[in-house]
């Protein structure tokens, strides 16, 4: 998967012919015991869900994406917005607004997609911890054909987060998120500079901790082999705080 600064969105182009286009339905489900505020960011001009919205415990919402759509979803936590949609979030904040127009502030668990360019085009998807972790998250294909495996992180990394990477909730005093080691701004942790290729950027102590906890999630920028999944003609269930894969 290509790494584009801190924005880790996939862009693939597939060429097919003679096949009718169809839409992809994303169902976002909140299985957390608290409200989350999903943020959405598109890699093209189609913004889903107006960029962000509240999702109470047990609630779900469906968002429809056209063929060729690419983008990401993440959960914001500890948010407080006024009637005009301005406010702040403890994690995943996107400029102090309810309806995101840009990415969330790391650390945040990400669900990333590139939808095929036609009904027979292959979708690419992953759950990424490259920008850190805030909540458990899973992607489950619904229908479709091909590999279509579950992708996600069902372990609570906040419980094992090293003290130097913790983000604390100022209200509860508990660990709200776990930063990526790239927060240290060191090339070997960020896969930059002399470490900007798959050959020179290897797993670190910190990324290995993420990988051991969540084997099917991206743990660092070049963790493609075990972390990128494909499916064709599927809809997707994205669960915040899944209990199992």
């Amino acid at each position: 998967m290509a790494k584009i600064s801190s924005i880790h969105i996939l862009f693939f182009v597939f060429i097919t012919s003679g096949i009718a286009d169809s839409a992809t339905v994303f169902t976002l489900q909140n299985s957390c015991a608290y409200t989350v505020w999903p943020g959405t960011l598109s890699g093209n001009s189609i913004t889903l869900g107006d960029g962000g919205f509240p999702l109470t415990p047990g609630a779900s919402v469906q968002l429809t994406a056209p063929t060729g759509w690419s983008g990401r979803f993440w959960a914001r936590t500890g948010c407080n917005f006024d009637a005009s949609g301005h406010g702040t979030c403890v994690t995943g904040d996107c400029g102090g607004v309810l309806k995101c127009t840009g990415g969330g502030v790391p650390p945040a668990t990400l669900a990333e997609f590139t939808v095929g360019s036609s009904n027979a085009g292959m979708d690419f998807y992953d759950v990424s911890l490259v920008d850190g972790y805030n909540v458990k998250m899973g992607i489950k294909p619904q229908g479709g054909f091909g590999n279509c495996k579950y992708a996600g992180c069902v372990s609570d990394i906040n419980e094992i987060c090293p003290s130097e990477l913790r983000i604390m909730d100022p209200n509860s005093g508990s660990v709200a998120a776990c930063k990526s080691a790239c927060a240290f701004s060191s090339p070997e942790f960020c896969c930059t500079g002399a470490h900007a290729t798959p050959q020179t950027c290897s797993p670190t102590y910190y990324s290995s901790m993420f990988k051991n906890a969540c084997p099917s999630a991206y743990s660092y920028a070049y963790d493609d082999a075990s972390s990128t999944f494909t499916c064709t003609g599927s809809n997707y269930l994205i669960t915040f705080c899944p209990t199992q894969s």
Side-chain angles (χ1 to χ4, degrees):
M1 183 180 301
K3 175 175 178 287
I4 305 175
S5 184
S6 64
I7 302 298
H8 192 61
I9 300 178
L10 307 173
F11 293 93
F12 295 89
V13 177
F14 296 91
I15 300 174
T16 58
S17 61
I19 300 174
D21 290 345
S22 69
T24 298
V25 177
F26 296 107
T27 300
L28 278 63
Q29 177 176 296
N30 183 12
S31 293
C32 302
Y34 47 85
T35 297
V36 297
W37 287 259
T40 73
L41 179 65
S42 174
N44 45 41
S45 61
I46 307 298
T47 299
L48 304 186
D50 293 326
F53 48 89
L55 198 61
T56 55
S60 63
V61 65
Q62 290 188 330
L63 304 175
T64 302
T67 56
W69 184 85
S70 65
R72 57 169 53 174
F73 305 92
W74 71 98
R76 292 171 288 172
T77 64
C79 301
N80 187 12
F81 295 106
D82 62 22
S84 67
H86 292 84
T88 59
C89 299
V90 173
T91 70
D93 192 85
C94 60
V97 294
L98 173 62
K99 299 179 179 181
C100 301
T101 58
V105 175
T109 315
L110 306 176
E112 303 176 313
F113 291 87
T114 292
V115 176
S117 59
S118 74
N119 191 44
M122 189 179 294
D123 303 335
F124 285 75
Y125 59 96
D126 70 84
V127 167
S128 174
L129 307 179
V130 174
D131 285 345
Y133 168 99
N134 64 341
V135 300
K136 296 185 285 185
M137 201 170 187
I139 300 172
K140 182 178 181 180
Q142 297 181 312
F145 59 93
N147 206 15
C148 302
K149 291 184 177 179
Y150 182 91
C153 182
V154 299
S155 296
D156 189 352
I157 290 180
N158 289 339
E159 292 185 345
I160 60 172
C161 185
S163 58
E164 63 270 27
L165 296 180
R166 293 174 184 170
I167 296 291
M168 306 304 294
D169 186 326
N171 300 311
S172 67
S174 61
V175 180
C178 190
K179 293 184 288 187
S180 162
C182 186
F184 298 143
S185 299
S186 181
E188 64 264 34
F189 294 134
C190 299
C191 294
T192 57
H195 298 268
T197 68
Q199 292 74 33
T200 58
C201 190
S202 301
T204 66
Y205 164 78
Y206 294 106
S207 67
S208 295
M209 178 194 71
F210 282 12
K211 194 66 176 179
N212 290 336
C214 298
S216 69
Y218 256 84
S219 60
Y220 75 106
Y222 296 111
D223 192 14
D224 301 75
S226 61
S227 307
T228 302
F229 299 90
T230 60
C231 193
T232 300
S234 180
N235 296 318
Y236 296 92
L237 173 63
I238 302 167
T239 305
F240 302 109
C241 302
T243 56
Q244 59 184 5
S245 61

